[in-house]
Amino acid sequence: MTCSRVHTSGFIKCPITHSVFLSLTCAFPVCVSSFQKQLETGRQKIVADFQQLRQFLEEQERLLLAQLEELNKEIEKGRADYAAKLSEEISSFSSLINEMEQKCQLPACEFLQDIKGTLSRCEREKFQNPVAFSSDLKWRIWASSQRNASLETIMKKFKDSLSSKPQWDKGKFLGSKGE
């Protein structure tokens, strides 16, 4: 408040009256109380928001871990199936090799009489390289690793946004880094 003029007694006359002064001093506790209520409301909102975020993140963690476990089971099943098919192929070739080794022990005329049948069985027994993992499973494993990579990026941005100091300008909150 600006003061008006100097009285002859040497005191400065101020335009603030006693009632204005009382209203200002009475308003101060109301302002403090109002600010404290705003801060308490803000604190409660932060606690509630973080609780909600925590619940969401825990739910997402359970979901993602369940998906990873399912993928792991499918990988194990694929590995077992692959090993069984490969074992079957090896067994088939082993018996064909044994048959050929036995035929080689026969006299030449007997060996040559059955050569057409032997060659025909060899052509039928072509090696079938079994597929260990379907392209769908490979794609889902890749998508899972991409999701994990993007999760790391999101977490870093989230941590950075929470740890940066907010900027204030003319009484208005601008957010972090002037955003």
Side-chain angles (χ1 to χ4, degrees):
M1 301 255 159
T2 59
C3 291
S4 52
R5 56 181 183 251
V6 177
H7 276 266
T8 55
S9 63
F11 291 106
I12 299 174
K13 183 179 178 190
C14 195
I16 300 176
T17 65
H18 181 63
S19 63
V20 172
F21 178 74
L22 283 177
S23 69
L24 288 176
T25 56
C26 290
F28 180 73
V30 173
C31 288
V32 169
S33 177
S34 174
F35 291 152
Q36 287 174 330
K37 285 179 185 174
Q38 286 177 358
L39 290 176
E40 180 59 23
T41 301
R43 187 190 75 72
Q44 289 174 355
K45 177 145 177 46
I46 288 170
V47 168
D49 287 348
F50 270 89
Q51 180 61 31
Q52 189 177 11
L53 180 61
R54 198 172 7 265
Q55 288 173 347
F56 172 76
L57 290 174
E58 287 171 355
E59 184 179 309
Q60 291 302 305
E61 178 186 25
R62 282 190 296 274
L63 176 68
L64 293 175
L65 289 176
Q67 288 174 353
L68 288 177
E69 184 60 32
E70 186 62 33
L71 285 174
N72 192 44
K73 286 178 183 176
E74 288 185 47
I75 289 169
E76 287 299 319
K77 183 183 180 312
R79 184 175 69 159
D81 290 350
Y82 181 78
K85 289 176 186 174
L86 202 53
S87 178
E88 190 178 304
E89 287 288 325
I90 289 170
S91 176
S92 177
F93 276 110
S94 289
S95 70
L96 186 61
I97 289 169
N98 284 338
E99 183 182 334
M100 292 296 289
E101 285 174 345
Q102 288 174 358
K103 296 228 181 216
C104 284
Q105 301 300 321
L106 296 175
C109 66
E110 288 180 43
F111 177 73
L112 290 176
Q113 286 177 350
D114 194 33
I115 193 70
K116 188 174 182 180
T118 303
L119 290 175
S120 149
R121 277 192 302 282
C122 287
E123 287 177 5
R124 280 191 311 240
E125 294 288 331
K126 289 188 177 181
F127 177 69
Q128 299 294 320
N129 188 12
V131 176
F133 304 108
S134 69
S135 58
D136 177 60
L137 179 60
K138 290 176 187 176
W139 184 87
R140 289 187 302 149
I141 292 169
W142 176 84
S144 175
S145 67
Q146 292 301 107
R147 184 176 44 242
N148 292 344
S150 68
L151 189 59
E152 289 176 26
T153 303
I154 291 168
M155 282 298 297
K156 183 180 180 336
K157 287 180 182 178
F158 182 68
K159 286 178 181 178
D160 289 348
S161 72
L162 287 180
S163 62
S164 64
K165 293 182 181 176
Q167 294 182 359
W168 298 85
D169 186 29
K170 297 181 185 175
K172 294 186 178 180
F173 178 66
L174 294 179
S176 62
K177 300 178 184 171
E179 294 174 354

